[in-house]
Amino acid sequence: GRKQWYQRRVRGADAQEVLSSYKPFKNNILFENIDKEDMLGVFMEHIKALELDYEDDKQKKFAKERRAQRINRDNFIKLLNELHERKKLDSTSLWADLYSIVSKDTRYGVMLGQPGSTPLDLFKFYLEDLKSTMHEDKKTIKEVLKQANFEVEPDTSYEKFHSIISASDKTRGIDKGNIKLHFLSLLEKAEAREKEAQRAEERKLRRKEAAFKHMLKDANPPITAEDEWSKIKSRFEKDPAYVAFSDDDKSRSKLFKDFAASLEPESNSDDYSEKHKKKRHKKEKKHKHRAKRSPSYDMTGSSDEDRKKKQKKTEEPSDEEKEDNKRKEKKSKKKSKKKKKEKN
């Protein structure tokens, strides 16, 4: 359009001025006879060629930088592979623990400052790749344990577990961290089984104890607090609740003592009457102590009831006062009668 034509005119004019001032063209007859439009066309073609060369060089430089960055990343991954082969890196490794080793290598240094993934990013990606094989590694480890007829128990050490696993050729390529993670998983399951077994044993024991106490409660004749286990246990030897404890007579004796302690002694016993008196005396003392501490108790130690009785006594009039009151009533009646008569 007109704008493009104007730009060409300006550029062509600039080009003509530059060329005319250029020494080789100043006194050149050929240059003076060249048409201005032809000169402009040659100039534009030359500019386009320069622009293409510039863009081509730019793309080549960018591709070269990208290639160098990719090579740096590949070299850093090789470093991680070397550390993995030397058993210094596994799926449970931490960057903080590995940094002192990695930072001394030049393959780490060239990565700093370049765009894209950082060394820490590549380290995380590497760990994810190691953990991605965990499922297949578990299958292999289970097969090896089954062949060795080995089962992880709550007290199994990692060293013992690792010695069984490493003895097989099947686990040679398995990551050390995955082996440890699987060991911890099996150990956790073993501990959970043991705890569940303990809880089941405790529930079983509670049921046995409850059945034994029920047997003692339903005994006929009834058991008293004065009975001794050694003398009466022959009465229960055939009962299932007794047999459930097998040879554990110590537990039977303890359960019997607990049951007997819950029974009240006979009422005609001197010891019982003496203990009962002491208990009643203690209760009375507690009751008096509480009454004294209550807000309804005044500073003189008298309760509300005592104060009410005193008030009633003070409010009741004496005999003399009663007679005076009667006299006054009679006089008032007489006066009222006189007033009525006078009105009539």
Side-chain angles (χ1 to χ4, degrees):
R2 188 173 181 182
K3 187 177 180 181
Q4 190 176 4
W5 176 83
Y6 175 74
Q7 288 177 345
R8 286 183 180 179
R9 286 292 298 273
V10 172
R11 289 178 183 174
D14 292 342
Q16 190 176 10
E17 185 178 347
V18 171
L19 291 173
S20 61
S21 63
Y22 188 55
K23 286 183 180 181
F25 294 101
K26 270 186 177 182
N27 301 318
N28 196 320
I29 298 171
L30 294 173
F31 175 71
E32 292 177 356
N33 295 329
I34 296 174
D35 186 69
K36 290 183 179 180
E37 286 192 5
D38 293 338
M39 186 187 297
L40 180 60
V42 173
F43 172 76
M44 293 302 294
E45 288 177 1
H46 180 68
I47 292 298
K48 283 183 180 178
L50 290 176
E51 287 176 351
L52 289 172
D53 290 341
Y54 173 77
E55 290 295 329
D56 187 47
D57 291 341
K58 189 178 178 181
Q59 289 295 327
K60 285 179 180 179
K61 186 180 178 181
F62 180 73
K64 187 178 180 180
E65 289 177 355
R66 291 285 297 272
R67 184 165 58 251
Q69 292 166 9
R70 185 171 63 253
I71 290 170
N72 291 340
R73 287 194 293 270
D74 292 342
N75 288 335
F76 185 76
I77 291 171
K78 286 179 182 178
L79 170 61
L80 297 178
N81 284 329
E82 290 171 10
L83 294 173
H84 185 251
E85 289 172 3
R86 284 153 51 189
K87 307 296 183 185
K88 291 187 176 181
L89 169 64
D90 58 56
S91 59
T92 61
S93 296
L94 298 174
W95 177 252
D97 299 333
L98 206 68
Y99 179 75
S100 59
I101 301 171
V102 171
S103 59
K104 295 175 183 177
D105 198 290
T106 55
R107 288 171 286 185
Y108 168 79
V110 295
M111 284 280 295
L112 300 177
Q114 75 173 31
S117 300
T118 64
L120 179 58
D121 293 332
L122 295 177
F123 170 76
K124 290 178 179 179
F125 297 152
Y126 193 84
L127 292 191
E128 288 177 6
D129 290 339
L130 291 177
K131 290 177 181 177
S132 65
T133 62
M134 186 67 177
H135 184 68
E136 293 298 323
D137 293 344
K138 276 185 178 182
K139 288 182 179 179
T140 307
I141 291 169
K142 284 181 180 179
E143 289 177 8
V144 173
L145 293 175
K146 190 175 181 180
Q147 288 175 0
N149 196 24
F150 183 83
E151 188 173 356
V152 175
E153 300 295 339
D155 58 346
T156 303
S157 65
Y158 175 70
E159 288 73 19
K160 178 65 176 175
F161 177 82
H162 189 264
S163 64
I164 299 293
I165 298 301
S166 58
S168 175
D169 295 334
K170 293 180 179 180
T171 59
R172 188 162 294 175
I174 294 179
D175 176 68
K176 184 180 71 174
N178 287 352
I179 293 174
K180 191 163 188 177
L181 288 173
H182 190 53
F183 166 74
L184 294 174
S185 175
L186 293 174
L187 186 67
E188 188 178 354
K189 288 178 181 178
E191 290 173 349
R193 285 197 304 270
E194 185 180 48
K195 287 180 181 178
E196 182 55 35
Q198 288 176 354
R199 286 194 289 267
E201 193 64 31
E202 289 172 1
R203 289 194 295 269
K204 184 179 177 182
L205 179 61
R206 286 197 294 270
R207 286 195 294 269
K208 283 165 60 176
E209 289 176 349
F212 191 85
K213 289 177 181 178
H214 192 70
M215 175 193 74
L216 297 176
K217 189 177 179 181
D218 293 344
N220 192 13
I223 295 172
T224 63
E226 288 75 25
D227 287 331
E228 294 180 10
W229 175 244
S230 58
K231 294 180 180 179
I232 67 167
K233 67 178 182 178
S234 57
R235 292 166 49 186
F236 309 100
E237 288 178 348
K238 294 182 180 180
D239 194 291
Y242 180 96
V243 177
F245 281 92
S246 60
D247 298 329
D248 188 10
D249 200 55
K250 188 176 180 180
S251 296
R252 295 193 197 101
S253 178
K254 183 180 180 304
L255 290 170
F256 173 79
K257 285 179 181 178
D258 293 342
F259 177 77
S262 66
L263 300 174
E264 290 186 357
E266 293 180 4
S267 58
N268 59 357
S269 171
D270 294 335
D271 293 338
Y272 173 77
S273 59
E274 191 66 29
K275 287 179 182 178
H276 186 69
K277 286 179 182 178
K278 286 181 180 180
K279 284 182 180 179
R280 188 170 62 188
H281 185 62
K282 284 182 180 179
K283 285 182 179 178
E284 288 175 355
K285 276 187 176 181
K286 284 183 180 179
H287 181 71
K288 287 180 180 178
H289 182 66
R290 286 175 183 170
K292 287 179 180 179
R293 289 180 65 185
S294 66
S296 62
Y297 206 89
D298 64 9
M299 297 299 292
T300 59
S302 60
S303 63
D304 289 338
E305 292 181 0
D306 294 336
R307 285 201 301 274
K308 287 178 181 177
K309 288 178 181 178
K310 287 178 182 179
Q311 286 176 1
K312 284 182 180 179
K313 287 180 181 179
T314 54
E315 290 173 359
E316 288 180 0
S318 61
D319 293 336
E320 292 179 358
E321 289 175 347
K322 287 179 181 179
E323 288 179 0
D324 290 337
N325 291 332
K326 286 179 180 179
R327 288 171 188 168
K328 288 177 181 179
E329 286 177 2
K330 286 180 180 180
K331 285 181 180 180
S332 62
K333 286 179 180 180
K334 286 179 180 179
K335 286 180 181 180
S336 60
K337 285 180 179 179
K338 285 180 179 180
K339 286 179 181 180
K340 285 181 181 179
K341 285 180 181 179
E342 288 175 356
K343 288 178 180 181
N344 295 327

